[in-house]
Amino acid sequence: MGLKGFVEGGIASIVAGCSTHPLDLIKVRMQLQGENSPMRAAPAQLGASIPVSSPPRMGPIAVGMRIIQQDGAAGLFSGVSATMLRQTLYSTTRMGLYDMMKIKWTDPETGSMRLWKKICAGLIAGGIGAAVGNPADVAMVRMQADGRLPAAQRRNYKSVVDAISQMAKNEGIGSLWRGSSLTVNRAMLVTASQLASYDQIKETIIEKGVMKDGLGTHVTASFAAGFVASVVTNPIDVIKTRVMNMKVESGKARPYAGAADCALQTIKAEGPMALYKGFIPTISRQGPFTVVLFVTLEQVRKLLKDF
C-alpha cells in the first residue's frame, strides 16, 4: 500500500513537472532580475562614484520571448532533465510519505483526517523529500539560470548528470546541498500548504454538496491549493534561487553568507516586495502544476486501484 503511493505520486509529479517546466524557467529568470545589477556596486572612476541605472524589469511574457529569441523554442526546456530527476527524487518521496502518513493517521471510524494532522504530514514529508532531492534542485536552478549570463560566464552543463558531477568536482560534495536549509523549509511549506489544502478543500466541496467527486472538483481544489502554496512560499523561493545560483570563486568572498544575508541584501537593495518577484509566473506555474499533478494523480489511482 505504501509503495503504491510512491509510484502514483512519482508518475503524477514527473508529468506535472515536465509539462509546466517553461513556466518554472521563466519564474527563475524573473527572480534573478536585479541581482548583481550595476546599482549594487557603482564603479569608481577618478575617485568618484558614478551611479549606473539598472536594466528595466521584464514581465513573464517578455522574459519568455527573450528566451525564445536567444535560444529558440527549445530554450524554454533548458534544464528539463534536472526537473525530471528532481521530481523523481523529491516529489516521489514527499507524495509517497504523505500518502503513508495519511493512511496511518486517518480515523478508521470516521474515515477522515484532522486538518492539523494533514499539515503535520505535509511538513514531515516535504522536509524529507527536499533533503533527498536537493542536488537535483541545485542543478535545475543553475541550468535554468545559465541562459541569462553572457556566453563567457555560462557554466554550459550538458545534462543534470554533468551539472552534478562538475559541482562535486569543482566545488566539493557540499555544494550539492547548497541552500538545503531553504529547500527543506520551502518544501515543508509547499507540501503542507499544497497537499493539506487540496485534501481539505476537496473534502469540503464534496461534503457540502457543491460538486461530486470528479474532474471539476479535482481541478477546483487543486487550483486553490496552488494559489495557497504560491502565496506561502514565494519569498523563500526567491532567496533559495539566489543562494543556489550564486557563483563561488576561489579566493573571493561569497556573494551571500547565507539565507538570512541573502534576504537582507535583497530587501536592502531592491525593497521588501523583491521577495515576491516572479509571483505572477509562480502562480501561473504553480496553478497549472498543481492542477496537472492532482488530476493526473487521481487518474493514476483509478488505473492502479486493483494493484
Side-chain angles (χ1 to χ4, degrees):
M1 193 70 170
L3 180 61
K4 186 180 173 184
F6 284 90
V7 174
E8 293 169 345
I11 293 171
S13 298
I14 291 170
V15 170
C18 291
S19 61
T20 59
H21 181 82
L23 296 172
D24 196 45
L25 174 64
I26 291 170
K27 177 203 72 174
V28 167
R29 296 285 178 90
M30 288 188 70
Q31 288 175 339
L32 292 172
Q33 286 187 121
E35 185 184 38
N36 298 326
S37 68
M39 281 296 288
R40 283 194 168 183
Q45 295 180 0
L46 301 178
S49 295
I50 302 174
V52 180
S53 60
S54 298
R57 298 281 192 272
M58 294 191 296
I61 295 175
V63 170
M65 292 303 297
R66 171 165 286 191
I67 293 171
I68 293 172
Q69 289 171 358
Q70 291 179 340
D71 305 313
L76 291 172
F77 286 89
S78 176
V80 72
S81 61
T83 291
M84 290 183 68
L85 179 60
R86 177 178 180 268
Q87 296 300 337
T88 301
L89 297 175
Y90 158 62
S91 288
T92 299
T93 302
R94 74 178 182 123
M95 298 287 284
L97 289 175
Y98 180 82
D99 191 61
M100 287 179 66
M101 284 182 276
K102 193 166 75 168
I103 293 170
K104 187 176 181 63
W105 293 350
T106 295
D107 189 330
E109 295 182 3
T110 63
S112 62
M113 181 176 171
R114 299 285 293 274
L115 178 59
W116 70 268
K117 287 187 177 182
K118 293 174 186 171
I119 293 172
C120 288
L123 291 171
I124 295 169
I128 295 173
V132 171
N134 200 81
D137 209 2
V138 177
M140 182 186 72
V141 167
R142 290 192 174 195
M143 291 175 75
Q144 289 177 332
D146 217 29
R148 67 184 279 272
L149 299 172
Q153 297 178 23
R154 293 183 183 181
R155 298 180 175 102
N156 293 318
Y157 297 133
K158 296 175 184 177
S159 66
V160 63
V161 175
D162 180 50
I164 291 174
S165 61
Q166 280 199 45
M167 280 188 284
K169 180 181 178 181
N170 300 328
E171 303 172 48
I173 295 294
S175 66
L176 298 178
W177 275 270
R178 180 173 296 151
S180 59
S181 62
L182 287 167
T183 305
V184 169
N185 288 333
R186 177 187 178 275
M188 290 172 72
L189 292 175
V190 165
T191 307
S193 58
Q194 188 184 64
L195 301 188
S197 60
Y198 172 77
D199 280 344
Q200 192 68 26
I201 293 168
K202 175 186 167 185
E203 290 170 11
T204 301
I205 290 174
I206 296 171
E207 287 174 5
K208 299 293 184 183
V210 178
M211 285 186 282
K212 294 181 179 180
D213 188 4
L215 183 61
T217 299
H218 301 159
V219 171
T220 303
S222 58
F223 193 84
F227 180 80
V228 172
S230 298
V231 172
V232 170
T233 62
N234 202 87
I236 293 178
D237 202 27
V238 171
I239 297 168
K240 176 181 77 76
T241 296
R242 294 190 173 195
V243 170
M244 286 184 168
N245 187 58
M246 70 176 174
K247 208 164 192 175
V248 179
E249 298 180 15
S250 180
K252 293 185 179 180
R254 292 188 174 196
Y256 306 116
D261 180 52
C262 177
L264 291 172
Q265 283 196 46
T266 300
I267 293 171
K268 184 178 179 181
E270 304 165 54
M273 288 309 296
L275 297 178
Y276 274 92
K277 272 186 178 180
F279 180 74
I280 297 301
T282 293
I283 186 61
S284 299
R285 183 259 180 189
Q286 192 69 259
F289 174 86
T290 311
V291 170
V292 175
L293 173 67
F294 287 115
V295 169
T296 304
L297 180 62
E298 298 285 1
Q299 298 308 309
V300 171
R301 281 174 175 168
K302 288 182 180 178
L303 290 173
L304 301 180
K305 66 180 180 179
D306 295 326
F307 289 90

